[in-house]
Amino acid sequence: MRAIKKIHKAEYRPIADLVTYSPMPTRSLDHLDPFIFLNHHGFQTYPPHNQGLPFGPHPHRGMETVTFILAGDIMHKDSSGHESVIGPGGVQYMTAGSGLIHAEVSSDEFKKNGGDLEILQLWLNLPADKKMMKPSYIGLQREEIPTFTLDNGKVKVQQLFGEWEGNAGAFEENFPITMSTIYLEKGGKFEKSIPQDESIFFYIVRGTLKVNGEEVNFRNLVEFKNEEAVISVEASEDSVLILGNALSFNEPMVAQGPFVMNTTKQIQEAYADYQAGKFGTWTH
């Protein structure tokens, strides 16, 4: 079994009236190269006639976002002209690359009617030779994402990146990465072999899991040692897990605000380019 190095509890960091927890970066864990940031919004219930999500227009460069919608919805708009509303079970994948401006807000319907909301956003670093690539975005609803089951249907896997059990992921990745959203019924279990030199991203969104026999509650991120290959997971109750793995870039990383680059000079250039209007024009 691949030994657990440490379990990191998500820190409570509300944003306005949005319930938010973050397990990375925290005092105990900066990042797990190339997984660099996670915000877990909710679970909470919005009343009718609410303001919705507070993420108005803002820039990014040098990284990617993967956004998981478990409850509620999220409307994406960006300066490249992409626009979509993705609902429960859907996932958004945005490559900021050389730079864009985007907004992530609630749909007019959600703001009018209210409802349950739970959304997570994970930031992925981009390797140095891809940081200035052309920006892109794709949003997929639940039914558009390849799904398969394990353990006689007790474990349902949404395959997002890479391949598992011969099932290809929904998105074409910009560097070798495997990632899944996994829904487990109580008692459901699986084992997965992950190359021992790869970083593992293992975050429990809902429920409680036995990880290599150790019980871990939701809103915890499990950090593994780089040894052995197999991880064993069993659900103590109905649970949701985000599981990813990738080789570390082992490159310098400077993250400041919405920009993730390799040097401080590149961060300064990002701010200058944004202020000079080089990230596109916001017309919404």
Side-chain angles (χ1 to χ4, degrees), residues 28-151:
S28 67
L29 179 67
D30 186 62
H31 68 289
L32 292 167
D33 184 11
F35 307 96
I36 53 178
F37 172 93
L38 180 72
N39 263 351
H40 182 176
H41 306 298
F43 182 92
Q44 69 190 96
T45 303
Y46 274 74
H49 308 294
N50 64 78
Q51 296 297 306
L53 293 168
F55 305 113
H58 57 281
H60 284 294
R61 173 180 277 181
M63 37 67 77
E64 305 187 306
T65 61
V66 185
T67 308
F68 306 81
I69 300 95
L70 270 72
D73 67 28
I74 187 165
M75 180 164 64
H76 170 101
K77 296 179 179 181
D78 67 45
S79 54
S80 295
H82 302 110
E83 191 171 325
S84 69
V85 177
I86 302 297
V91 176
Q92 299 174 324
Y93 173 44
M94 185 189 80
T95 300
S98 61
L100 50 60
I101 303 166
H102 79 151
E104 300 158 301
V105 296
S106 301
S107 68
D108 292 342
E109 183 183 4
F110 185 86
K111 287 190 280 191
K112 178 185 175 185
N113 298 325
D116 295 340
L117 182 138
E118 188 168 23
I119 292 171
L120 298 93
Q121 185 167 94
L122 172 66
W123 290 17
L124 303 174
N125 199 4
L126 278 170
D129 62 351
K130 296 276 184 79
K131 284 201 175 291
M132 296 298 284
M133 69 183 291
K134 184 181 177 182
S136 63
Y137 167 83
I138 185 167
L140 297 179
Q141 307 290 3
R142 176 174 51 202
E143 58 273 14
E144 298 175 295
I145 299 171
T147 303
F148 64 97
T149 60
L150 302 168
D151 195 16

Side-chain angles (χ1 to χ4, degrees), residues 165-209:
E165 298 268 328
N167 299 278
F171 302 104
E172 189 174 333
E173 63 273 15
N174 289 309
F175 59 88
I177 183 172
T178 302
M179 186 177 293
S180 315
T181 313
I182 306 171
Y183 297 81
L184 303 98
E185 296 177 12
K186 182 178 180 180
K189 55 182 183 283
F190 70 89
E191 286 192 348
K192 190 172 189 197
S193 181
I194 294 171
Q196 64 187 57
D197 56 348
E198 294 193 7
S199 298
I200 296 177
F201 178 84
F202 189 109
Y203 181 73
I204 303 173
V205 182
R206 295 178 180 175
T208 304
L209 299 176

Side-chain angles (χ1 to χ4, degrees), residues 184-188 202 204-211 214-220 233-240:
L184 303 98
E185 296 177 12
K186 182 178 180 180
F202 189 109
I204 303 173
V205 182
R206 295 178 180 175
T208 304
L209 299 176
K210 284 182 183 167
V211 186
E214 182 172 347
E215 198 153 271
V216 186
N217 292 323
F218 72 112
R219 294 202 195 112
N220 279 283
V233 178
E234 182 176 353
S236 303
E237 57 185 326
D238 290 356
S239 302
V240 180

